[in-house]
Amino acid sequence: LSASFAFGGVANGFLLGPLTSVLGGKVGKVVQNSACIMMLCYGLRGALFHPAYTLLPEDLLIRRGVFIGLALFLSLFQFAMGTSITVATTKLVPQDMVGTLIGSEHGIFAVARVFSPFVGTSLLTSGGIPAVSAACAACFAAAVGVWQIGVGDR
């Protein structure tokens, strides 16, 4: 987790501009494309680590490397999407309410961080990495749908 945040900080500092350009430039496109990429990557991770498939060798070092590499790759799009959502939502409120909005967003993130460890460990215990990955992919699929209905291509 710490490596992901450090990597995200470096990525935000140096790669956010070029990455958002590659993802479409406009906020709606960046969010949609980031969520789609994350949905697909989580689906790939679920398949790679599913015990019914033998897509990865049994070597623990290789499996850890693939897992960490995918986590860091996903964090690039997580930060691009989060920043773009903040850009979009801050345009919806008067200037004197932006601080309140950002505080509310951070409060929502905090609530998610309270419950997500319980949900994640329950999924991990019951179904392993494939279950967690499938849940993440489903969340991003829902995010794409909601974004399309609510914001579209703006």
Side-chain angles (χ1 to χ4, degrees), residues 62-130:
I62 292 173
R63 295 174 75 81
R64 284 180 181 165
V66 168
F67 185 87
I68 291 168
L70 278 171
L72 293 176
F73 180 74
L74 284 162
S75 71
L76 286 172
F77 301 99
Q78 172 191 342
F79 287 107
M81 186 173 84
T83 302
S84 296
I85 290 171
T86 300
V87 166
T89 57
T90 54
K91 291 179 181 176
L92 299 174
V93 298
Q95 186 65 29
D96 63 332
M97 296 298 292
V98 169
T100 302
L101 173 70
I102 291 174
S104 299
E105 287 179 356
H106 285 269
I108 292 168
F109 299 153
V111 170
R113 288 186 187 107
V114 168
F115 295 106
S116 60
F118 171 75
V119 173
T121 54
S122 297
L123 285 169
L124 188 62
T125 303
S126 65
I129 293 171

Side-chain angles (χ1 to χ4, degrees), residues 55-67:
L55 300 174
L56 288 177
E58 290 297 317
D59 185 339
L60 192 57
L61 188 60
I62 292 173
R63 295 174 75 81
R64 284 180 181 165
V66 168
F67 185 87

